[in-house]
Amino acid sequence: WANAGVILNEYIFAGYINEPVDTWEWLQSYILPYLPIEVKTGEKGVYPVLNQFVALQNVQPVARLIEGAGLRQVSAIETSTDTSEIVNACTCSFALNSSKDGYAATTRIAPNAENADGDAQNNFAQSSFNRYGLHEVNLELPFVYERKTAHRIASDFIRARSFPKRTIEYCAAAEYGYLKIGDVVLITDNNLYFNETPCTIVRKSYENTKWYFTLQFEDTPIVLERHF
């Protein structure tokens, strides 16, 4: 958690809880869905794994992997998300006013935004819209009162969902056992025209003296030169 804190501390939440709640359920409902992490369970308890778009921007790759050098592709490229999950426009309502039973402010990121206060465009929204058409969501943030945090959440929501995620599985020699879920690696595979393509390890297993890794990468022309 300390390592992820540099990023997580950029998100400011505030508010009141006026009744008894289950802490973990409350976090899962109101806080964790709006942070750029997934919470995993390990031998030492729960720990955060940065979402791929954050990891690729902020984490140094731990290894450069080359297909054929103790590494072999064992699956086709698969899609882990589909177009029904695409989001390229997001409106966040924040600054809850309980006395008026509503929100005092909104912020929006969309391909058709006017780039005025509380209404902005970005490259991922526009590029996704050009390929998939408009897919918009509305979020209510009852524990967010700062526009900077609301805007960051809207931006993250689009960044994480504007394009499909692809996965591919590799079988690796025992020497690669040090790699773990959440690590960023660069993969070179001439069969797939990958040249140090950044990926995140999202699954790991061990079978018959071999490690199996599922790598995830983004199918977006903004960060990936490979064409499908």
Side-chain angles (χ1 to χ4, degrees), residues 16-47:
Y16 295 92
I17 301 174
N18 296 321
E19 58 186 9
V21 298
D22 180 285
T23 305
W24 183 243
E25 289 182 359
W26 182 84
L27 287 172
Q28 289 180 307
S29 297
Y30 297 108
I31 305 298
L32 295 179
Y34 308 113
L35 294 175
I37 59 172
E38 295 179 30
V39 177
K40 303 289 187 179
T41 303
E43 296 178 355
K44 298 181 180 181
V46 296
Y47 64 95

Side-chain angles (χ1 to χ4, degrees), residues 58-86:
N58 296 278
V59 178
Q60 289 294 321
V62 300
R64 284 175 165 81
L65 307 180
I66 301 175
E67 196 279 333
L71 192 74
R72 177 171 54 88
Q73 177 190 348
V74 293
S75 79
I77 293 176
E78 299 178 353
T79 302
S80 57
T81 58
D82 58 40
T83 55
S84 67
E85 300 173 80
I86 295 295

Side-chain angles (χ1 to χ4, degrees), residues 2 19 22 28 35 48 53-54 68 80 83 89 107 119 146 149 157 160 174 180 194 198 200 202 206 220 222 224:
E19 58 186 9
D22 180 285
Q28 289 180 307
L35 294 175
F53 74 92
V54 176
S80 57
T83 55
T107 189
D119 198 36
E146 290 192 359
T149 296
F157 219 78
K180 60 184 183 296
F194 285 157
T200 306
V202 296
Y206 187 75
T220 163
I222 297 177
L224 185 67

Side-chain angles (χ1 to χ4, degrees), residues 64-122:
R64 284 175 165 81
L65 307 180
I66 301 175
E67 196 279 333
L71 192 74
R72 177 171 54 88
Q73 177 190 348
V74 293
S75 79
I77 293 176
E78 299 178 353
T79 302
S80 57
T81 58
D82 58 40
T83 55
S84 67
E85 300 173 80
I86 295 295
V87 174
N88 48 39
C90 181
T91 299
C92 289
S93 300
F94 65 101
L96 178 64
N97 187 330
S98 299
S99 63
K100 296 184 178 180
D101 194 27
Y103 292 87
T106 62
T107 189
R108 178 174 180 261
I109 297 176
N112 57 351
E114 299 179 356
N115 281 331
D117 288 345
D119 198 36
Q121 300 179 11
N122 71 23

Side-chain angles (χ1 to χ4, degrees), residues 2-222:
N3 291 335
V6 175
I7 294 170
L8 298 182
N9 287 339
E10 295 294 323
Y11 299 77
I12 307 299
F13 296 89
Y16 295 92
I17 301 174
N18 296 321
E19 58 186 9
V21 298
D22 180 285
T23 305
W24 183 243
E25 289 182 359
W26 182 84
L27 287 172
Q28 289 180 307
S29 297
Y30 297 108
I31 305 298
L32 295 179
Y34 308 113
L35 294 175
I37 59 172
E38 295 179 30
V39 177
K40 303 289 187 179
T41 303
E43 296 178 355
K44 298 181 180 181
V46 296
Y47 64 95
V49 174
L50 293 174
N51 286 351
Q52 183 176 35
F53 74 92
V54 176
L56 296 182
Q57 292 174 338
N58 296 278
V59 178
Q60 289 294 321
V62 300
R64 284 175 165 81
L65 307 180
I66 301 175
E67 196 279 333
L71 192 74
R72 177 171 54 88
Q73 177 190 348
V74 293
S75 79
I77 293 176
E78 299 178 353
T79 302
S80 57
T81 58
D82 58 40
T83 55
S84 67
E85 300 173 80
I86 295 295
V87 174
N88 48 39
C90 181
T91 299
C92 289
S93 300
F94 65 101
L96 178 64
N97 187 330
S98 299
S99 63
K100 296 184 178 180
D101 194 27
Y103 292 87
T106 62
T107 189
R108 178 174 180 261
I109 297 176
N112 57 351
E114 299 179 356
N115 281 331
D117 288 345
D119 198 36
Q121 300 179 11
N122 71 23
N123 290 338
F124 285 91
Q126 187 63 58
S127 182
S128 174
F129 170 75
N130 291 341
R131 181 180 292 188
Y132 302 108
L134 185 65
H135 293 260
E136 187 161 4
V137 298
N138 296 286
L139 303 178
E140 294 185 354
L141 308 174
F143 292 95
V144 173
Y145 285 83
E146 290 192 359
R147 180 172 297 277
K148 181 180 178 181
T149 296
H151 186 84
R152 186 183 294 273
I153 289 171
S155 179
D156 288 350
F157 219 78
I158 291 174
R159 179 67 180 84
R161 297 166 176 83
S162 53
F163 289 91
K165 303 295 187 297
R166 312 288 190 189
T167 61
I168 186 169
E169 187 176 28
Y170 284 88
C171 174
E175 64 192 78
Y176 291 99
Y178 69 94
L179 297 172
K180 60 184 183 296
I181 292 174
D183 281 348
V184 174
V185 297
L186 301 178
I187 180 74
T188 295
D189 187 335
N190 293 332
N191 297 321
L192 299 174
Y193 303 100
F194 285 157
N195 181 22
E196 294 201 338
T197 297
C199 300
T200 306
I201 297 175
V202 296
R203 193 177 300 115
K204 175 184 179 181
S205 63
Y206 187 75
E207 184 179 345
N208 296 328
T209 73
K210 299 289 185 182
W211 287 104
Y212 289 82
F213 296 99
T214 299
L215 307 184
Q216 180 174 276
F217 60 95
E218 295 180 283
D219 178 13
T220 163
I222 297 177

